[in-house]
Amino acid sequence: MKRAVLFDLDGVLVDSRHAQLATLAGFATSALGRRVTVADLPAWAATTPREHVLAELGHTGVISQDGWDAATATATLTAEVFPFVADTLSALRAAGVATGIVTLRSRQRVHWLLPPTVLDLIDIVVCYEDAAPKPAPDGLLLALDKLGVSPGDAVFVGDMESDMHAARAAGVTPIGAGWGFSSPTALTRAGATVVLPRADDLVDTLLSLISLE
């Protein structure tokens, strides 16, 4: 029986919190014509849709995609893949477990964040343009369909409440990444089966949850 582990990207595989905040600040600086720093952003900026954050700062127009891409490309230079990622993906592959990413990022931006050595360890990547965004289950179901894995034989590791909702809706076991953007309490409240405070035992936990140990 084939099994799969799906991952969110930001906050789970990539330490991109500062990069996301820097993107917001950089875009706001350009769009508003005044200096906006990360410190000027509202406290909830990292876990709130960009439209709401920018509106709070005074931006009321359409978000320029070119301007957003320029801010993102610069900011993501500060983002780093978490140290555990390559070993975790390699161990899952060695155990015969399929892996995938389901992200709200566009495909172009995924390649800005992940080096080829990591992408080579991922079997499927579902991006914003491929399916309705989370909390809809579409992206998870698309990934599993392409992998040939049933939802009951998969887990999804995410760090946002929308990730937990998407997993539940897809019939996939939701795992909270406590090292990411949202608090363990928020992830538990959103329906996480288990919340891992750290990634130290991630491989063993994932293999146990999909009954491969």
Side-chain angles (χ1 to χ4, degrees), residues 120-182:
D120 286 345
L121 295 170
I122 297 289
D123 297 309
I124 185 72
V125 179
V126 173
C127 299
Y128 178 83
E129 56 265 45
D130 298 324
K134 298 170 287 185
D138 303 47
L140 278 71
L141 293 173
L142 176 60
L144 294 175
D145 181 63
K146 289 183 176 295
L147 292 171
V149 177
S150 65
D153 296 321
V155 301
F156 181 49
V157 185
D159 69 324
M160 299 287 285
E161 293 178 60
S162 58
D163 295 327
M164 304 300 101
H165 295 317
R168 287 287 183 190
V172 173
T173 301
I175 307 301
W179 60 89
F181 282 47
S182 300

Side-chain angles (χ1 to χ4, degrees), residues 23 27 64-74 106 108-109 112:
T23 297
F27 179 85
S64 162
Q65 203 56 52
D66 288 342
W68 186 261
D69 280 347
T72 301
T74 301
S106 69
Q108 177 187 36
R109 293 172 191 153
W112 292 349

Side-chain angles (χ1 to χ4, degrees), residues 6-80:
L6 304 178
F7 297 91
D8 180 38
L9 179 61
D10 289 282
V12 176
L13 299 181
V14 179
D15 188 2
S16 57
R17 182 184 183 89
H18 184 269
Q20 289 199 199
L21 295 175
T23 297
L24 285 163
F27 179 85
T29 294
S30 177
L32 298 174
R34 58 180 172 82
R35 177 180 170 84
V36 179
T37 70
V38 169
D40 297 322
L41 300 176
W44 37 264
T47 56
T48 304
R50 63 184 184 177
E51 293 82 2
H52 298 166
V53 180
L54 293 171
E56 179 74 11
L57 295 171
H59 181 270
T60 57
V62 175
I63 297 176
S64 162
Q65 203 56 52
D66 288 342
W68 186 261
D69 280 347
T72 301
T74 301
T76 51
L77 295 176
T78 66
E80 297 285 347

